[in-house]
Amino acid sequence: MNKKLKLATVLSTVLLMLITACSSEDSSSEAGTKDKVTENGKTILTLSMLQSTPFYEALEKKFEARYPDIDLRIQAQKEPGAEYVFGEEEEYQRSINTALLSGTGPDVFSLEGMSVNDYVEKELILNMDRLLEQEETLQQDQLHANVLEAMKQNGGTYTLPSGFNLRAFIGNGEALKDANIDEESWTWQDFADVAKRLTQGDSGLYAMADYTPDMLMQEMIIDGYSSYVDEGSKTVRFDSPEFIALLKQVQQLYEDGVMTTEAAEPGKQLFYSTVLYGPADVINQTHIRFDQPQLMQKPHSQAQSGHMRILPTAQFAIRADTAVQEEAWKLLSFLLSEEMQQMPEREGFSMLKSVNDQKLDEVKKQVQAGSYKLSNGQVAQAEDEEFTRFAQLLDLADRYSMLNARLISIVGEESLAYFSGQMSAEEAAQLLQNRATILLNE
């Protein structure tokens, strides 16, 4: 082959490679958008949830007004206001799981008691860390970073909440003023010791009232969920000596009369565990029980924290292989915007500090003016320090677990079998171990 022919061959080969590369790039670009569905010139974005509410109906309208090139379609299994039907959560979970595993499903969806770890391990949902870091419309310093950090899974942000509630532990400040409790390190054994000391004699006090032992057991396991349940390996430790000892400790509290299942007279209990559903509950849920309420850290083990537990009102994830990732992120960032977080229809504390501060300040001013009334009609009398204390504890809230609700229910059932005398602590623990293991491996 002469030099001119060789050169022509080389040039032809190079040209063919360039054409092929260009063609490949074009097809790759098309492949990235070929699943993007459009209608009437708008990109279709789907949001799936168990039940819609007026808040999400407002979200749809406001989001589409902000982004007129996107058609947001909410796919709700239940209409707003529809009554609860047993088993509907499981039905919703199955439908989402089936769709995701088949490579389809909604672009954005709410998690109703679903296991985030399973989705993360199967790479079915998107890690939103990069999107959060690059987002310019959100005021990063205004987001409750402690809440986002607590909710991370495998070091990534795979879900975002629309808001959150808080499980708080409240003490009777007047009765506890000389108790010398070290909240940073006190355990349930310390709780029992303090309670026995303060409830002895004719004080008429109880540590906690109107609280059954199985309820207390469930709350303890929820607080220490990771100590007994490993969702990743699908193993549990309910047959451990620690859990058996906990069962017996709870039983002893009731046998000693420290705890009671009966209601107590106002001011006749030392502690109260409740859920704060929003800024107003900083007064509503604390002063309805005690004249001098004291927000406290909860008893906890050395491996845990006693700070308030975070309860997301709703969590949303983005399907990992969605063709409309950009539009999906626009929706979630809009959900966290001040416009949506200020909506009165949105439930719980806001993910924005500024919104919570504003609402707390409104309550504080009403209390100071003597115009804030509790549900019993009494005028609330609270010190400014109570609002300061709550603000500090809110920034410290760091406890969160993606719980298996059915497993917690089993904890209540099997521990009740022990508390009612039907079986020993060891037998109840072993039965719970077996049932929980089967459940996690279904």
Side-chain angles (χ1 to χ4, degrees):
M1 184 181 293
N2 60 40
K3 291 183 179 180
K4 287 185 179 181
L5 184 57
K6 286 184 178 179
L7 180 59
T9 302
V10 172
L11 289 174
S12 298
T13 303
V14 172
L15 181 60
L16 180 60
M17 291 173 64
L18 287 172
I19 293 173
T20 303
C22 290
S23 174
S24 176
E25 286 181 10
D26 290 343
S27 63
S28 175
S29 177
E30 291 174 3
T33 59
K34 68 178 182 179
D35 292 329
K36 183 179 288 190
V37 180
T38 60
E39 188 174 301
N40 298 323
K42 295 185 178 184
T43 300
I44 306 300
L45 175 66
T46 55
L47 169 62
S48 182
M49 60 183 63
L50 175 61
Q51 183 172 23
S52 186
T53 68
F55 172 72
Y56 293 109
E57 292 178 338
L59 170 67
E60 181 180 11
K61 293 178 181 178
K62 289 178 176 291
F63 178 73
E64 289 179 340
R66 175 71 64 87
Y67 300 100
D69 58 333
I70 302 176
D71 180 4
L72 174 60
R73 297 184 179 180
I74 295 180
Q75 302 170 340
Q77 183 172 306
K78 296 178 61 180
E79 293 297 321
E83 293 184 1
Y84 171 79
V85 178
F86 180 77
E88 58 193 7
E89 293 96 340
E90 288 81 1
E91 182 181 340
Y92 172 78
Q93 292 168 11
R94 284 194 296 270
S95 66
I96 294 294
N97 289 340
T98 301
L100 292 178
L101 291 173
S102 66
T104 61
D107 304 306
V108 182
F109 62 97
S110 69
L111 294 98
E112 307 284 342
M114 303 178 193
S115 174
V116 176
N117 276 332
D118 285 347
Y119 291 146
V120 172
E121 290 175 1
K122 295 181 175 68
E123 299 182 347
L124 295 174
I125 56 179
L126 188 69
N127 183 347
M128 294 178 272
D129 277 345
R130 178 182 58 81
L131 297 171
L132 264 173
E133 292 169 1
Q134 296 177 352
E135 180 57 53
E136 296 180 353
T137 63
L138 288 175
Q139 296 175 291
Q140 298 288 343
D141 61 337
Q142 280 299 311
L143 285 170
H144 279 289
N146 57 311
V147 175
L148 293 176
E149 185 64 30
M151 291 180 61
K152 282 191 172 185
Q153 299 286 331
N154 291 3
T157 304
Y158 290 90
T159 67
L160 286 176
S162 59
F164 60 95
N165 301 323
L166 293 164
R167 170 62 77 167
F169 199 64
I170 307 165
N172 183 338
E174 185 176 5
L176 296 172
K177 60 184 177 182
D178 298 321
N180 296 320
I181 296 173
D182 183 357
E183 295 180 42
E184 294 291 337
S185 62
W186 76 321
T187 64
W188 281 106
Q189 184 58 56
D190 296 326
F191 167 88
D193 295 341
V194 169
K196 287 178 183 178
R197 186 171 75 249
L198 296 180
T199 59
Q200 65 184 356
D202 300 323
S203 66
L205 288 170
Y206 293 99
M208 296 176 74
D210 197 16
Y211 218 68
T212 61
D214 54 303
M215 287 170 58
L216 179 59
M217 201 70 202
Q218 285 178 311
E219 188 167 342
M220 287 177 163
I221 297 306
I222 290 173
D223 288 338
Y225 193 74
S226 60
S227 298
Y228 296 101
V229 182
D230 187 334
E231 295 271 4
S233 64
K234 299 185 183 302
T235 58
V236 291
R237 297 184 61 252
F238 292 122
D239 58 353
S240 65
E242 294 83 3
F243 180 78
I244 294 171
L246 191 61
L247 277 172
K248 294 179 178 179
Q249 184 181 42
V250 169
Q251 175 76 339
Q252 196 64 47
L253 287 172
Y254 287 86
E255 290 181 354
D256 292 343
V258 172
M259 304 278 289
T260 179
T261 60
E262 304 296 326
E265 296 179 10
K268 289 299 183 179
Q269 63 187 80
L270 298 174
F271 306 100
Y272 179 58
S273 177
T274 190
V275 175
L276 306 181
Y277 293 99
D281 280 346
V282 174
I283 296 298
N284 294 342
Q285 290 290 349
T286 58
H287 282 265
I288 199 67
R289 293 280 177 173
F290 306 122
D291 291 332
Q292 298 178 28
Q294 179 181 342
L295 281 169
M296 305 179 64
Q297 290 194 44
K298 206 172 192 178
H300 53 281
S301 70
Q302 292 182 351
Q304 298 167 352
S305 158
H307 296 134
M308 291 188 290
R309 180 155 46 88
I310 299 161
L311 309 169
T313 53
Q315 294 184 75
F316 294 94
I318 297 176
R319 199 179 90 228
D321 60 353
T322 177
V324 289
Q325 183 184 123
E326 180 182 350
E327 290 82 356
W329 175 247
K330 284 181 179 178
L331 174 62
L332 292 190
S333 60
F334 184 69
L335 180 67
L336 296 180
S337 69
E338 189 169 13
E339 179 179 357
M340 292 309 303
Q341 290 291 301
Q342 284 184 330
M343 290 282 292
E345 294 87 355
R346 188 193 55 75
E347 298 177 344
F349 288 89
S350 170
M351 285 301 297
L352 295 179
K353 296 178 182 179
S354 57
V355 175
N356 290 328
D357 290 344
Q358 178 186 345
K359 292 185 176 181
L360 280 169
D361 193 51
E362 291 172 359
V363 174
K364 182 178 178 180
K365 287 179 179 177
Q366 291 180 48
V367 170
Q368 290 173 334
S371 60
Y372 195 93
K373 291 187 177 181
L374 302 171
S375 59
N376 59 9
Q378 294 182 354
V379 175
Q381 296 180 343
E383 301 294 332
D384 291 352
E385 287 76 9
E386 291 183 40
F387 293 93
T388 302
R389 169 68 170 167
F390 173 76
Q392 294 171 342
L393 292 178
L394 176 56
D395 287 338
L396 292 172
D398 61 359
R399 292 191 299 130
Y400 169 77
S401 294
M402 178 60 78
L403 305 171
N404 186 313
R406 290 172 61 192
L407 189 150
I408 297 301
S409 178
I410 293 174
V411 170
E413 293 170 9
E414 299 306 336
S415 62
L416 186 59
Y418 163 62
F419 297 133
S420 62
Q422 297 178 30
M423 58 183 66
S424 68
E426 289 77 11
E427 290 172 332
Q430 188 59 59
L431 187 54
L432 172 57
Q433 174 76 10
N434 296 341
R435 289 187 64 188
T437 301
I438 293 172
L439 173 63
L440 290 182
N441 287 277
E442 283 182 345

